[in-house]
């Protein structure tokens, strides 16, 4: 925990040095002693300390200073740190001024110069003041603070990114907590910068204004640059399939890098409770599974890069990956484990309000904000069911919208049973979203009821969309063969009429999980014909490493 601060201010350098020395000698072990020779400089410093969330226990100022006297300075300091004890250093001649300052300006004490010996004239009184201060002092949060507004898509994107990467932070909604005294003081200390939201404040005093996840990633130490430019195995995508491949690859001695553009865990990381993964009889959250897998991968030496892959090419035995920031790395074996992304819901208002009440997927960071509200979940698959169960813990009412007449053909029975037991979950069948309404954030939705052919307009605080997913593999077109929906073909799917794929020059067939490019593998949800489950992704990622060993033995 950072030590609280004792600040002394005096334009007379001899007095300043003396008070600093005496404070440090007595209190240096428990407090940080800071000195300033100008009241305006000291006020600036106090504002910086406020932004850093430091605690200030005492402000001690000389009464006679040019431009601003001690009483004036202490009154301004009080606006920034109201709880700090305020004391004045005065000459004998100023005693009357000091006494009236105590009465009028809420100053806690005045000390006469000189204060020798300090053991008699300084420390006993300061001990009293500091004991008093300590009694009501609550140490401030010491990690990252994110300032933004609930309905801002950029704030949402940032919070989601931090949460999914397991970076602890404190969220400060500047609108909702506008009347909170501490937030007010912080915003005042930030001045005009407080309007450049989202703002991220770091414990070292630095800040990022109007920031985006990639900037924060660099600052919090998520690696964005590769340690070296060549790897035995590179994996694009850090969902269950990519993580499993990384663990197996690295544990079997391959120099392995895993590239993930959002957060390790992939879709599974958004799941509030995975109940069918072997070995976890009471289920576990996707975030927990992802965290465990990342720790395991790192233990085996996997390098995890926070980057987006935007291109792949081959040069002889080398597979080269290009990143969004234009950097490149190369490898012998490359694995595509990029999974699938949510299908977009096409209706007026949806795109405009995305991130401001409308979210694709779990929106884990939003669940708690939905306390006491009416929210909608669109879709009838397991992912929608899990989300509804999670939101029902917080929301007043959760309404699941499905086009069909029941959940039975799309959702597992265990989830249907759990949903039936939840009194605040309601199923609305034959329903589809026709429009989303709201100026700055979602307020209402229009629902088309296919059984009555009527449109109903209902209030909605938030809507979470789970309507199936598609692979986004356009950036791989011309490199790997894909089916008509973009899923990547592997192994036997590439053999047509007994013929190996075009351009295939090896005297063997592609391995089971290998694409039409030797040494380039595809696993998990992105692969044509894969079973879209955590366990199957993990299985494919692990098995592929065996084929990679076979491939590498002949490179
Ligand atoms: C809400 C929800 C609940 C679910 N619940 C269950 C369940 O209970 N049980 C179950 O078995 N399955 C469940 N599933 C399905 C399961 O999560 C998926 O089948 C599984 O995550 C697929 O793993 P994957 O590694 O193939 O792909 P994904 O999990 O989709 O991971 C792919 C990763 O690749 C990254 N990526 C994509 N493109 C790039 C790029 N160009 N550069 C860098 N990175 C990229 C993505 O950001 C993503 O992190 C659920 C899915 C969802 C969405």
């Amino acid at each position: 925990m950072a030590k609280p601060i004792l600040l002394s201010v005096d334009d007379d350098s001899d007095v300043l040095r003396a008070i600093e020395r005496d404070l440090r000698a007595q209190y240096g072990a428990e407090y940080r002693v800071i000195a300033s020779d100008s009241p305006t400089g000291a006020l600036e410093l106090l504002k910086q300390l406020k932004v850093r969330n430091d605690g200030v226990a005492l402000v001690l100022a000389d009464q006679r200073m040019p431009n601003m006297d001690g009483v004036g300075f202490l009154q301004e300091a009080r606006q920034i740190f109201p709880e700090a004890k305020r004391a004045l250093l005065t000459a004998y001649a100023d005693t009357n001024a000091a006494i009236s300052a105590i009465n009028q300006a809420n100053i806690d004490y005045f000390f006469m110069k000189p204060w020798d010996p300090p053991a008699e004239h300084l420390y006993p009184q300061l001990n009293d003041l500091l004991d008093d201060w300590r009694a009501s002092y609550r140490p401030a949060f010491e990690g990252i603070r994110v300032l933004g507004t609930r309905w801002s898509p950029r704030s949402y994107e940032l919070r989601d990114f931090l949460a999914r990467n397991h970076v602890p932070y404190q969220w400060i909604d500047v609108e909702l907590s506008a009347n909170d005294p501490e937030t007010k003081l912080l915003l005042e200390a930030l001045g005009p910068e407080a309007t450049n939201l989202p703002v991220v404040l770091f414990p070292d005093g630095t800040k990022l204004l109007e920031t985006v996840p990639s900037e924060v990633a660099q600052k919090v130490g998520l690696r964005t640059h590769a340690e070296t430019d060549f790897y035995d195995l590179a994996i694009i995508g850090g969902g269950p399939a990519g993580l499993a491949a990384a663990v197996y690859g690295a544990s079997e001695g391959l120099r392995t890098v895993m590239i993930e553009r959002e957060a390790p865990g992939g879709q599974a990381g958004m799941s509030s409770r995975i109940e069918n993964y072997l070995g976890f009889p009471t289920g576990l959250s996707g975030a927990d599974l992802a965290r465990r897998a990342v720790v395991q991968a790192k233990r085996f030496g996997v390098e995890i890069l926070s980057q987006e892959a935007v291109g792949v090419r081959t040069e002889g035995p080398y597979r080269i990956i290009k990143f969004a920031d234009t950097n490149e790395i190369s490898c012998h074996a490359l694995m595509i484990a990029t999974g699938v992304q949510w299908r977009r819901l096409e209706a007026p208002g949806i795109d405009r309000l995305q991130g401001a009440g409308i979210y694709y997927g779990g929106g884990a960071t939003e669940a708690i904000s939905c306390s006491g509200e009416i929210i909608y979940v669109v879709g009838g698959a397991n992912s929608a069911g899990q989300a509804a169960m999670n939101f029902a813990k917080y929301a007043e009412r959760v309404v699941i919208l499905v086009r069909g007449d029941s959940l039975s053909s799309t959702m597992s029975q265990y989830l249907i049973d759990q949903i039936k037991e939840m009194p605040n979950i309601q199923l609305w069948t034959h329903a589809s979203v026709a429009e989303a309404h709201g100026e700055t954030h979602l307020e209402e939705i229009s629902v088309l009821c296919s059984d009555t052919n009527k449109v109903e307009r209902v209030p909605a605080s938030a809507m979470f969309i789970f309507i199936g997913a598609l692979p986004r593999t356009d950036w791989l077109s011309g490199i790997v063969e894909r089916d008509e929906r973009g899923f990547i073909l592997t192994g036997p799917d590439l053999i047509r009429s007994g013929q190996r794929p075009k351009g295939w020059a090896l005297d063997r067939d592609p391995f089971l999980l290998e694409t039409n490019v030797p040494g380039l593998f595809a696993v998990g949800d992105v692969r044509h014909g894969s079973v879209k489950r955590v366990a199957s992704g993990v299985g494919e990622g692990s098995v592929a490493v065996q084929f990679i060993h076979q491939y590498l033995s002949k490179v």
Side-chain angles (χ1 to χ4, degrees), residues 470-471 473-474 481-489 528:
L470 286 173
T473 51
D474 291 350
E481 287 191 30
R482 301 174 302 148
D483 69 13
E484 65 289 349
R485 291 191 299 155
F487 290 98
I488 298 173
L489 300 177
H528 169 86

Side-chain angles (χ1 to χ4, degrees), residues 237 239-241 260-261 266-268 276 309 339 342 386 524-525 532-534:
E260 169 56 53
R261 68 173 174 200
Q267 298 167 69
N276 53 3
W342 295 108
Q386 285 179 3
D525 281 14
K532 310 297 188 251
R533 286 282 182 273
V534 175

Side-chain angles (χ1 to χ4, degrees), residues 164 236-243 259-277 307-310 337-342 361-362 382-384 386-387 414 466 472 475 523-526 531-537:
R164 293 182 59 204
I236 305 178
L243 281 163
I259 299 135
E260 169 56 53
R261 68 173 174 200
E262 289 173 12
Q267 298 167 69
M270 294 178 192
S271 171
S272 48
R273 186 143 290 268
I274 300 169
E275 305 212 36
N276 53 3
Y277 190 58
Q307 271 286 1
E308 177 173 12
V310 294
T338 49
V340 289
Q341 279 85 55
W342 295 108
N382 280 2
S383 48
Q386 285 179 3
Y414 79 91
F466 299 81
R472 301 249 169 85
W475 60 285
V523 292
D525 281 14
V526 75
V531 177
K532 310 297 188 251
R533 286 282 182 273
V534 175
S536 39

Side-chain angles (χ1 to χ4, degrees), residues 249-407:
S251 69
E252 291 172 15
L254 300 178
R255 171 128 218 205
T256 305
V257 63
M258 190 184 84
I259 299 135
E260 169 56 53
R261 68 173 174 200
E262 289 173 12
Q267 298 167 69
M270 294 178 192
S271 171
S272 48
R273 186 143 290 268
I274 300 169
E275 305 212 36
N276 53 3
Y277 190 58
L278 188 69
F280 296 89
T282 55
L284 85 168
S285 74
D288 197 16
L289 181 68
R291 188 184 48 76
R292 288 162 186 257
V294 167
V295 172
Q296 203 172 5
K298 285 189 174 162
R299 232 190 74 217
F300 286 120
V302 175
E303 200 181 313
I304 300 181
L305 279 192
S306 196
Q307 271 286 1
E308 177 173 12
V310 294
V312 165
R313 65 177 198 281
T314 61
E315 281 179 18
Y318 303 111
R319 313 284 168 251
I320 293 148
I321 306 156
K322 185 175 177 187
F323 298 136
D325 68 359
T326 73
N327 281 321
E328 294 188 339
I329 56 166
S330 63
C331 57
H332 270 322
L334 173 59
M335 188 179 289
I336 309 287
T338 49
V340 289
Q341 279 85 55
W342 295 108
R343 224 156 42 77
R344 318 296 293 177
L345 180 60
E346 303 291 341
I350 301 277
D351 286 352
R352 185 173 56 82
L353 296 171
Q354 190 187 334
I358 297 183
Y359 309 95
Y360 285 91
T365 46
E366 278 310 294
I368 295 172
S369 319
C370 293
S371 289
E373 296 181 344
I374 300 173
I375 66 154
Y376 285 78
V377 170
V378 185
N382 280 2
S383 48
Q386 285 179 3
M389 288 296 296
N390 187 35
F391 296 141
K393 288 186 232 153
Y394 308 96
E396 183 189 319
R397 187 152 50 93
V398 179
V399 185
I400 304 177
L401 292 183
V402 288
R403 285 175 189 269
D405 58 5
S406 76
L407 293 173

Side-chain angles (χ1 to χ4, degrees), residues 90-101 110 112:
T90 57
Y92 181 73
D94 293 328
T95 311
N96 285 343
I99 291 171
S100 64
F110 72 92
M112 295 285 235

Side-chain angles (χ1 to χ4, degrees), residues 52-54 137-146 168-172 201 203:
R52 284 172 52 141
N53 231 9
D54 278 314
Y137 173 56
R138 299 282 163 274
F141 178 77
E142 288 193 10
I144 295 171
R145 286 168 299 153
V146 180
Y169 68 93
Q170 185 185 45
W171 165 240
I172 301 172
L201 305 174

